[in-house]
Amino acid sequence: MSVTAGAASTGIDALRQRDPEVADVLEGEARRQDDSLQLIAAENFTSPAVLAALGSRLANKYAEGYPGARYHGGCEYVDAAERLAVSRAVALFAAEHANVQPHSGSAAVLAAYAALLRPGDTVLAMGLAHGGHLTHGAADNFSGRWFDFVPYGVDAESGLIDEHQVRALAHQHRPKAIVCGSISYPRHIDYAVFREIADEVGAALVVDAAHPIGLVAGGAAPSPVPYADVVCATTHKVLRGPRGGMLLCGDELGARIDRAVFPFTQGGAQMHTIAAKAVAFGEAATPAFAVYAHQVVANARVLAEALSTYGLVIATGGTDTHLVVADPAPLGVDGRVARARLAAAGIVLDTSALPYGDSRGIRFGTAAVTTQGMGRDEMERAAELFAYALRGEEEALAARPQVRELAGRFPPYR
Ligand SMILES: *Cc1c(COP(=O)(O)O)cnc(C)c1O
């Protein structure tokens, strides 16, 4: 990977001349990304090619509607970009239909609900304390306001999705849709079981695969596409594309999904982002991306295992994916203190709800560090610095130069 490249540096030079204040922000953020460890499970480093499309003149173009049927003139090139993105998504995920216009993962979920539900309908989804996303029924999100969400959860002992509970709640509440997918579930989801339960009660199955979709692309996680009525996804997590969303479904739902995105929930599509999605799908279809996706999971496993030897309690005992949820309580800190100490050490991650704990835990992932080229040795070293920094504020500051050294050996852009 390499991006000192022409376009990007010319861009920042031009910006510095015009607007040094904003240029400082951009350079500060680039330095931050270079000299700390990015362990936020939802983040990654896009390729220079993706960044080039994002920073391109397609950003200037209005394009309401769909290729060949736009409300604006001059769409011949952006139409080609969207057709490429759609055909690459369809091929990559073996789906019949793809919509690449959602501005974000949340916008994709909104459109999926708009296509399948009416306000007031009952929906069964993972509860937020157990790993559901805001769009899965949070009281202060449109989902919780407009639909009647019934939450399911994970088993107190194993931390695994309680399929018996899902089935019982489905039969009891007869939801119009069942949602599976999570912001923090570290294991593969058994989509076949969810399909079965949805069929038993006549519900639609919506899989919100925002997190694992990149692993699916690389063959490192099972695909929800054969089981779901609609798959919602982001393009910026493990998939390593631009910030944005995507929907996959069968042909029979395609037109409804398209109308639910535009004109129901969005206006003009962001064509620079759609071109960048096309680039990312192209990259994700390569053998190198499959190697990457498997390495992401291998790295997460090494990190989880190493941290458990330092005393952290790993939710579900490990991970099948890029993400790990851990309770640092045995080290005498909760998730909030842990996040602050790790930040002081230059290790950046999130706090996380713990389904049955009384404190918060932490959530982290290996998509970004794996893009940087880190492997087993680096994960073991990161775990060592991680555990050391958790001991106290002084230790966190002492770990800072060592974290900088580790990150510095793997520049994301060179
Ligand atoms: C990240 C995520 C989303 C939302 O994506 P945004 O682009 O932040 O709106 C939705 N659902 C799940 C499960 C996610 O992990």
Side-chain angles (χ1 to χ4, degrees), residues 179-255:
V179 180
C180 67
S182 165
I183 63 169
S184 58
Y185 193 66
R187 297 297 183 171
H188 295 321
I189 291 175
D190 190 340
Y191 302 119
V193 166
F194 274 90
R195 178 74 264 168
E196 214 175 85
I197 296 172
D199 286 344
E200 285 166 17
V201 300
L205 179 62
V206 176
V207 176
D208 184 355
H211 267 281
I213 195 74
L215 298 176
V216 173
S223 173
V225 170
Y227 303 100
D229 292 289
V230 180
V231 175
C232 311
T234 61
T235 49
H236 51 272
K237 296 180 181 177
V238 187
L239 190 51
R240 214 158 65 183
R243 309 202 68 76
M246 166 176 63
L247 290 155
L248 303 168
C249 64
D251 276 331
E252 72 287 0
L253 263 182

Side-chain angles (χ1 to χ4, degrees), residues 311-327:
L312 282 85
V313 178
I314 307 298
T316 77
T319 183
D320 296 331
T321 65
H322 61 299
L323 76 81
V324 181
V325 172
D327 186 356

